[in-house]
Amino acid sequence: MIRPDAPILLEIQGLHASVDEQPILNGVNLTIRAGEIHAVMGRNGSGKSTLSKVLAGHPAYTVTAGSVRYQDVNLLELEPEQRARIGLFLGFQYPVEIPGVSNLEFLRVATNARRQERGDDELDTFAFEDLVRERLNVVQMDPAFLERSVNQGFSGGEKKRNEILQMALLEPLVAILDETDSGLDIDALRIVASGVNQLAGPHTATLLITHYQRLLDLITPDFVHVMAAGRILRSGGKELALELERTGYDWVDAELARQPVEVP
Amino acid sequence: MSSAATVGDLVSQPYKYGFVTDIETEKIAKGLSEDVVRLISAKKEEPAFLLDFRLRAYRQWLRMTEPDWATLGYPAIDYQDIIYYAAPKQQQKKASLDEVDPKLLETFEKLGIPLSEQKRLSNVAVDAVFDSVSIATTYKEKLAEHGVIFSSISEAVKEHAELVERYLGTVVPSGDNFFAALNSAVFSDGSFVFIPKGVECPMELSTYFRINSGDTGQFERTLIVAEEGASVSYLEGCTAPMFDTNQLHAAVVELVVLDDASIKYSTVQNWYAGDENGVGGIYNFVTKRGQCRGERSKISWTQVETGSAITWKYPSCVLQGADSVGEFYSVALTNHRQQADTGTKMIHVGPRTRSTIVSKGISAGHSVNSYRGLVQIGPKAVGARNYSQCDSMLIGDQAGANTYPYIRCQQPEASVEHEASTCRISADQLFYLQSRGIGFEEAVSMMVSGFCRDVFNQLPMEFAAEADKLLALKLEGSVG
């Protein structure tokens, strides 16, 4: 939903970042307003996943230039946990397994950290169980997964559903979903997409990172951005994704040659 | 900021039990000789059998050499530079706690072990040992109503000499090993527990050991006997002040269980571990062994080891009675320059004996944490079974973990299983938890607690939370 007067939730300006002194992001500009769904596409190694990790505050990445404003705050100054508490959510491409830590307890601690930030009461074990059982419906997940260790022994599809369940519990303002569609069969993809659609609303925004049109058939983006060499090379509406599906990324190299990377 | 460095900062929290109590102490001169052994025995007004026991041990010790097979490195210990007896100066043990030196009560209060009547834990009886002597034992009368004897071993020697004589040294003989022989020669105090036939001990029993003097060795001796059908749960806790010298702690614990009896022995060890450069700290050389003499008897060791500069400790079970059961659940956490070589021995003698070993080692800083365990199945142990699981967790990239399992099986119809794993708290796991709003410290603590859960579940309820808190304190810095 595009409303030009909607408040800006996330504003990325000239963002440069590197890992092990190797530049990966080379000047990303992106503005996301409430109610919008953005899709970032691009070839492997174009910097899509790095963008999501930098926004979430992964310690392996160093921001070398640029700024990111989240509502009224300088996002880059915050620890990863603080970013999460104020409503930024990253759905991981490869959610890690955490043996010995109960999924239910993990979800409860995470939910309460977010609730505390919003000034809501902490939920005790019983109140939380009620909430989590209701939210399980969003992703049609078996309650048995709550009793297991975080992501341990989960299939690819189950891990992704667990990600969307976390999103349903944390109620983020900006959700970044990093290749949530990868490794999913068509049924799992439908469930995950329907979960994302249920959670999208006029006051929140979603940033989808994906390779494929098939996710965008289920979640309709308002904007599509093509990343290459660590920046956004082209932006357009949902028709840009369809065009990519037809033409592929061959045009990218020519375009890159025309727009050399600026050194900050 | 690398996450390893940050974990390093986290695990470097100060030791909060490092204070020294300023109290007048009676000490004997440094050094060890036959005269010193006789002097200790005389000070304690011991019967002849005990003096003989001590002298026999001392003579054996003189001929023994310190073991060097453990994965531990430390400068040679000068056994003549240690004080073998120190006691807070007060008249004979008081009939009532109200007469105990308030400074001592205050010390234990600061340690979280209130001894005064009003503040005690309602379902835990405590024996408090300060340097070489027991200063107070709570709930003695209530326990006596059930026929349970819970006292310092010095008192037991006076009041129940025949019981002590019957069992002392029968599980860990005086010449068992270098440190056990030393302890047998000079032990000063410790706890004695006797649960008569058919009695289920009505409350948790607990001994709290406190080293206070800087140049004193602590050599306590604990003896627990559970007669036919009896059962007891016992917990020991330990702390010491911070000194830049090392103190020697060489304890012996003996457990005896008869038919259908059981002893659950839990330890939360938090001796001072030395500073981040490895200066100071307790050298902890302990012999703990239980004997399942009776059929269907059971011994369960649970230990949470977080302190000591050096830990050398292998709580063991001799499974003699048919169908007897031995268990060992251990969490050993090392940090900075700490070294731990710890594990268990399960000696299967009788038929259908069963043992379970679950060991969790956590190494941080520059520490080295070794599991060393023996499972021995004798020729008569038909149908014996053992299951061992040894897991190591590494925090940072400077710490080491070793596993040395020894299996000797002389019985074809026995089953022995061993599983081992090593994991590391990865930056990606921490980031995952953080990206869900969970702070860095809490994330580390959640993962460590999760790793230890199998063992914490074995601790008595009252202490499981305490153990969790202790690890959190060592790793997290939420002091107080």
Side-chain angles (χ1 to χ4, degrees), chain A residues 56-59 80-81 84-85 89-90 92 96-102 106 109-110 113 150-151 163 166 170, chain B residues 1 3 426-443 446-451 453:
Chain A
H58 194 292
E81 59 269 31
R85 289 174 196 159
F89 178 85
L90 170 60
F92 285 80
V96 290
E97 303 193 355
I98 307 182
V101 175
S102 130
F106 157 68
V109 173
V150 178
N151 293 326
E163 293 294 291
Q166 290 167 43
L170 296 176
Chain B
M1 176 176 69
S3 68
S426 74
D428 281 338
Q429 287 171 320
L430 287 171
F431 178 63
Y432 187 80
L433 295 176
Q434 281 179 283
S435 74
R436 297 302 179 250
I438 299 168
F440 186 84
E441 297 186 359
E442 192 173 5
M446 267 176 108
M447 292 181 62
V448 169
S449 307
F451 178 73
R453 195 193 304 160

Side-chain angles (χ1 to χ4, degrees), chain A residues 135-176:
Chain A
R135 299 291 154 93
L136 278 173
N137 296 326
V138 173
V139 283
Q140 300 174 31
M141 202 161 127
D142 184 341
F145 286 103
L146 299 173
E147 306 304 324
R148 303 193 10 201
S149 292
V150 178
N151 293 326
Q152 198 178 24
F154 288 25
S155 72
E158 288 155 1
K159 283 181 182 167
K160 295 296 171 70
R161 285 198 217 186
N162 204 30
E163 293 294 291
I164 305 304
L165 173 64
Q166 290 167 43
M167 180 175 155
L169 287 164
L170 296 176
E171 301 175 355
L173 282 181
V174 175
I176 306 164

Side-chain angles (χ1 to χ4, degrees), chain B residues 261-293:
Chain B
S262 73
I263 297 177
K264 182 177 179 62
Y265 192 107
S266 313
T267 304
V268 177
Q269 187 263 103
N270 187 19
W271 294 123
Y272 177 53
D275 69 8
E276 65 273 21
N277 300 312
V279 175
I282 303 289
Y283 287 173
N284 194 32
F285 294 92
V286 172
T287 305
K288 290 185 167 175
R289 193 175 305 154
Q291 201 170 19
C292 285
R293 288 197 190 159

Side-chain angles (χ1 to χ4, degrees), chain B residues 122-170:
Chain B
S122 58
N123 50 348
V124 182
V126 180
D127 185 23
V129 177
F130 188 87
D131 281 338
S132 299
V133 298
S134 163
I135 57 155
T137 311
T138 63
Y139 289 116
K140 283 181 73 161
E141 297 77 19
K142 189 176 169 203
L143 289 165
E145 287 168 23
H146 297 262
V148 173
I149 303 170
F150 180 40
S151 72
S152 72
I153 200 147
S154 308
E155 279 177 286
V157 166
K158 294 202 174 78
E159 290 163 24
H160 309 280
E162 73 297 343
L163 278 176
V164 175
E165 188 173 5
R166 194 191 313 162
Y167 289 107
L168 187 76
T170 61

Side-chain angles (χ1 to χ4, degrees), chain B residues 204-252:
Chain B
E204 297 274 346
L205 304 184
S206 171
T207 299
Y208 197 89
F209 295 102
R210 173 72 176 170
I211 294 180
N212 191 57
S213 307
D215 41 10
T216 310
Q218 181 149 336
F219 307 93
E220 80 271 356
R221 185 133 194 148
T222 298
L223 173 59
I224 304 179
V225 179
E227 284 196 330
E228 291 86 347
S231 67
V232 63
S233 171
Y234 176 92
L235 182 117
E236 62 166 25
C238 340
T239 57
M242 294 192 270
F243 292 115
D244 54 10
T245 52
N246 300 102
Q247 290 86 53
L248 178 63
H249 173 253
V252 170

Side-chain angles (χ1 to χ4, degrees), chain A residues 231-247:
Chain A
R231 62 207 158 113
I232 290 173
L233 207 57
R234 248 178 99 182
S235 298
K238 63 182 177 201
E239 63 289 343
L240 177 54
L242 295 165
E243 184 190 326
L244 285 173
E245 185 82 347
R246 282 197 311 276
T247 60

Side-chain angles (χ1 to χ4, degrees), chain B residues 70-75 283 310 339:
Chain B
T71 309
L72 300 171
Y74 55 95
Y283 287 173
I310 302 270
Q339 306 173 60

